[in-house]
Amino acid sequence: MVDETKFHSEDYREVLEFYEQFKSREELITWMKNRPTTDIKIKESEKGDSEVVVVIPSINEEYQRRALTVFNGLKIIFVISGGKYFNYARSVNAGVKYALEKFSPSWIVVSNDDVYKVDESKVLVDELSTLDRKDVELVYADKGKYHSYKMYLFRIADYFPEMMVKFGKITRNHVIVVQGEAYARFWKKFDTPYLAIMESQLGPLRGALKRIIGEEITSFYNVGSFFVIPKSFAEKGEVLDPTFINSHEDVWLSLSVKKREFIRYKIREDFGGTLGWSPARFARVFCNEVYLSYLIATRFRE
């Protein structure tokens, strides 16, 4: 029986201690798949055209009010869920299923709740109208800091986790420190050789210096906090893999889908507006890196 107490701690060191309970990657992934679920409720906007429907997981009423302005004129489905068993992928899948059953839209937008307006909704609708839904599975907005951004996938060198810890301490970046400590302690135990890094996080390790990280497998654009899918793709089943716990589900979607398009629609967001920016959050993220490595090793094809 897994004791989850430390996983929910706000002390990242206790979160890392949580992983000591598992003997293998398979045990950890089994725990991820079998976690309890929490209640989900659906709330629709009163007005809005349903040719393009927006799905937004959210428990923040202030953000919901802002979203009504951001996506003015479109039907919005707020997926209300929270608590320690909140699962972003599960909420997205529930919202997409609801949209298909009630409105049968041509396009479904999936967005975080912390977005704010740059372009009008009409720009989004007009840009989508230029695409052939038969030839696209995943649509990116115009490139931003937390959506439609470039990432690299590496098979890390043995020494790199310890290097991450040192670099994070020098730069006072707690995300890099926590990620480095997690990999240093567990990447061999959990067979987690792959690391997906945002281009903006590479710091000085650019160009030829990327080789310090390890072997570069591929580069790609991650949808991040905003993406659009056509009805035909949504109908195939779960859009996001709910085994992930509030991280990296977007990375796997971006890696595994091949028919991608960008549109000239600008939107921005407040990073970590709902889930926060604490070291403990990024310690909890490590289990998703373990699962991502498993999927890459068993299912990924460039």
Side-chain angles (χ1 to χ4, degrees):
M1 185 71 177
V2 176
D3 181 0
E4 286 196 13
T5 305
K6 289 185 178 181
F7 184 74
H8 299 291
S9 171
E10 283 308 310
D11 182 337
Y12 85 90
R13 291 163 296 191
E14 290 193 348
V15 179
L16 293 182
E17 287 175 6
F18 163 81
Y19 296 115
E20 296 284 2
Q21 298 179 79
F22 303 95
K23 296 178 181 179
S24 66
R25 178 176 70 181
E26 289 69 29
E27 279 193 8
L28 179 58
I29 293 173
T30 296
W31 165 76
M32 294 172 71
K33 290 180 178 293
N34 293 332
R35 293 182 80 225
T37 58
T38 192
D39 292 339
I40 287 177
K41 297 180 180 179
I42 301 293
K43 181 173 73 174
E44 296 177 27
S45 59
E46 294 182 2
K47 300 178 181 179
D49 181 75
S50 59
E51 181 69 9
V52 177
V53 171
V54 185
V55 171
I56 304 178
S58 178
I59 57 171
N60 188 311
E61 293 186 357
E62 179 183 350
Y63 284 163
Q64 291 170 28
R65 288 192 292 270
R66 187 168 72 180
L68 292 172
T69 301
V70 174
F71 300 109
N72 182 44
L74 304 181
K75 174 63 72 172
I76 303 175
I77 297 170
F78 294 108
V79 187
I80 314 299
S81 182
K84 66 181 182 180
Y85 292 117
F86 167 73
N87 183 293
Y88 180 79
R90 182 170 174 262
S91 290
V92 166
N93 293 339
V96 169
K97 181 180 179 181
Y98 183 91
L100 287 173
E101 291 177 349
K102 185 163 185 181
F103 302 109
S104 191
S106 295
W107 299 96
I108 299 176
V109 176
V110 176
S111 174
N112 282 13
D113 65 353
D114 54 3
V115 294
Y116 56 88
K117 182 186 289 187
V118 177
D119 284 338
E120 297 290 335
S121 299
K122 185 178 185 301
V123 175
L124 173 61
V125 174
D126 288 348
E127 283 290 307
L128 291 173
S129 71
T130 67
L131 301 179
D132 185 342
R133 285 181 286 137
K134 295 179 181 178
D135 294 330
V136 63
E137 294 177 316
L138 187 62
V139 180
Y140 296 72
D142 199 57
K143 297 171 186 176
K145 192 172 183 180
Y146 301 119
H147 65 265
S148 310
Y149 53 83
K150 192 170 186 179
M151 296 191 74
Y152 292 89
L153 178 66
F154 294 93
R155 183 181 288 108
I156 60 173
D158 286 2
Y159 55 77
F160 188 67
E162 295 290 352
M163 183 180 288
M164 288 175 69
V165 176
K166 293 176 181 178
F167 180 74
K169 288 180 177 178
I170 291 171
T171 59
R172 298 182 180 181
N173 186 319
H174 64 253
V175 176
I176 296 176
V177 171
V178 171
Q179 190 175 40
E181 288 190 12
Y183 267 83
R185 287 175 65 173
F186 300 115
W187 78 275
K188 289 187 177 180
K189 177 180 180 179
F190 295 138
D191 192 11
T192 308
Y194 296 102
L195 177 65
I197 306 179
M198 295 169 63
E199 184 177 51
S200 61
Q201 292 180 324
L202 287 176
L205 301 180
R206 298 173 184 270
L209 289 178
K210 291 201 303 293
R211 288 178 293 184
I212 293 173
I213 301 172
E215 178 189 357
E216 181 181 331
I217 304 301
T218 189
S219 62
F220 63 101
Y221 281 90
N222 188 37
V223 289
S225 61
F226 181 95
F227 63 89
V228 188
I229 53 175
K231 176 184 176 183
S232 57
F233 184 76
E235 289 175 330
K236 292 181 179 180
E238 292 182 329
V239 175
L240 297 178
D241 186 336
T243 302
F244 289 105
I245 305 173
N246 307 325
S247 175
H248 286 68
E249 59 278 290
D250 54 334
V251 175
W252 177 242
L253 176 69
S254 302
L255 276 170
S256 57
V257 171
K258 302 304 180 185
K259 296 180 180 179
R260 316 178 185 107
E261 291 286 350
F262 279 84
I263 56 173
R264 292 176 294 180
Y265 171 69
K266 294 183 177 65
I267 194 167
R268 296 294 179 261
E269 60 278 285
D270 303 315
F271 180 68
T274 299
L275 293 176
W277 182 247
S278 71
R281 174 190 172 185
F282 290 93
R284 285 189 281 272
V285 160
F286 179 68
C287 64
N288 299 303
E289 293 174 316
V290 173
Y291 184 52
L292 179 66
S293 264
Y294 163 77
L295 291 176
I296 291 169
T298 58
R299 302 183 194 176
F300 179 62
R301 299 290 183 273
E302 290 185 60

